[in-house]
Amino acid sequence: MALNLIMLGAPGAGKGTQADRIARERGIPKISTGDILREAVAANSEIGQRVKVTMNRGQLVGDDTMIAIVRDRLDRDDARRGFVLDGFPRTVAQAVALDDMMVGRDPLVIVDLAVGESDLVHRLLNRLVCESCGTNALGKDLANGLQESCRRCGGRLVQRSDDNKAVVLERLQIYLRQTKPLVAFYRRRPTFRAIDGAQPPDRVAEDLVAAIDSAVKSAAPSPGARS
Ligand code: AMP
C-alpha cells in the first residue's frame, strides 16, 4: 500500500521536521505547501505576488489557490507511490477537496502532532530555518551553542519573516479557529492517530513510525488503488 500521509498539528508542532524524516526514509516526496508558497514568493511569480502579504500577516491563503496547487502536485508521477503532506489541509474545505483527490488511491493516514500552546510559542520564536533548503534548525537558545549553518546543506540560517511574536500569535489563533476542527473531521477514521509532539524529536519520530504502522494495518485499500 502507498503511504499517503498527512501531518496535522499547530505551527511549530514539528510537522516539517518529522515529515522530512519519514519522506526520506520511505523514498516518497514531502509536499509542504508553506515551502511551495515561499518558493513562489522568492521567485516573484504571479502566485507569489498574490500570497506574499497574506503569508506575512500569518493568515491563510484562499482555499481555491491551495487546492489547485496540491491537486497539480499530487498529479505528478512521484506522488503516485505515496507522499507526505505538510501544511495541507488547513481548513475543512481543503480536507473535503483532498478526499476527492484521493478517489482511486490508497486511504489517507492522518497523524496529529499534539503540542501545548506555550511550547509552540517558544519554539516558533526561537526557530531558525535554512534559507537555501528550508530545513529547520534547532532553536536559537536550544542548540549546543549557536548553530551557524544548515546541517544538511551548509546554507545560512535565518528567522522566517512570519516567526515574530505578533504574527506567531495570529497564526496560532487561526490554527485554533480554522485548522483544529480537522481533528474532529478525521478522528473517527480507522487510519487517524494522535501522538505527543512535545517529546524530543527522536521520541516523536519513534511514535510516528509506530502510529503509521498501526494505521496502515487498519486501512482497507480503496478498490482500484493504483499502488
Ligand atoms: P507553513 O510553512 O506551513 O507554516 O505555512 C506558511 C504560510 O503559508 C501560512 O501561514 C499560510 O499563510 C500559508 N499556507 C501554507 N499552507 C497553507 C494552506 N494549506 N492553506 C492556506 N494557507 C497556507
Side-chain angles (χ1 to χ4, degrees):
M1 180 179 130
L3 175 60
N4 296 331
L5 175 65
I6 59 181
M7 310 276 299
L8 297 182
K15 301 185 296 292
T17 303
Q18 298 297 335
D20 254 349
R21 233 163 149 145
I22 286 289
R24 253 182 294 130
E25 279 169 22
R26 310 272 168 136
I28 53 180
K30 170 188 140 175
I31 301 172
S32 156
T33 46
D35 286 350
I36 293 172
L37 294 174
R38 278 184 288 278
E39 277 162 25
V41 170
N44 205 22
S45 69
E46 186 262 322
I47 288 187
Q49 291 175 14
R50 215 155 16 94
V51 302
K52 186 173 178 176
V53 174
T54 308
M55 289 179 77
N56 281 338
R57 289 191 183 137
Q59 292 164 350
L60 294 188
V61 172
D63 285 332
D64 290 351
T65 302
M66 296 314 303
I67 290 165
I69 288 175
V70 171
R71 194 186 297 281
D72 276 0
R73 183 62 189 84
L74 291 184
D75 267 349
R76 281 173 32 196
D77 279 350
D78 62 344
R80 291 276 159 200
R81 289 175 289 106
F83 54 80
V84 185
L85 264 176
D86 161 23
F88 185 96
R90 253 173 158 108
T91 63
V92 171
Q94 292 178 15
V96 169
L98 180 61
D99 278 342
D100 187 48
M101 296 175 216
M102 297 308 293
V103 171
R105 300 195 192 216
D106 284 314
L108 291 171
V109 169
I110 306 111
V111 179
D112 181 42
L113 276 181
V115 179
E117 195 169 326
S118 57
D119 270 1
L120 293 170
V121 173
H122 184 258
R123 285 185 189 185
L124 289 168
L125 293 181
N126 288 287
R127 168 165 82 175
L128 295 174
V129 297
C130 172
E131 71 177 351
S132 305
C133 73
T135 299
N136 285 344
L138 283 177
K140 287 186 279 200
D141 65 347
L142 301 175
N144 265 341
L146 189 61
Q147 190 188 327
E148 300 206 327
S149 53
C150 174
R151 279 177 223 279
R152 179 148 345 135
C153 76
R156 198 163 71 99
L157 297 178
V158 295
Q159 187 161 40
R160 262 172 57 167
S161 59
D162 57 354
D163 278 348
N164 64 72
K165 192 150 191 191
V167 177
V168 160
L169 295 178
E170 172 73 1
R171 284 158 66 206
L172 291 177
Q173 283 309 310
I174 287 177
Y175 165 77
L176 290 175
R177 254 196 332 265
Q178 296 189 260
T179 307
K180 202 163 179 202
L182 291 180
V183 174
F185 180 88
Y186 287 121
R187 171 153 264 148
R188 284 198 205 85
R189 297 193 186 183
T191 52
F192 174 88
R193 298 288 181 278
I195 62 177
D196 176 5
Q199 309 174 88
D202 287 347
R203 289 296 308 278
V204 177
E206 283 171 24
D207 286 2
L208 178 60
V209 168
I212 291 170
D213 289 347
S214 110
V216 164
K217 283 193 189 114
S218 326
S222 329
R226 284 160 271 170
S227 60

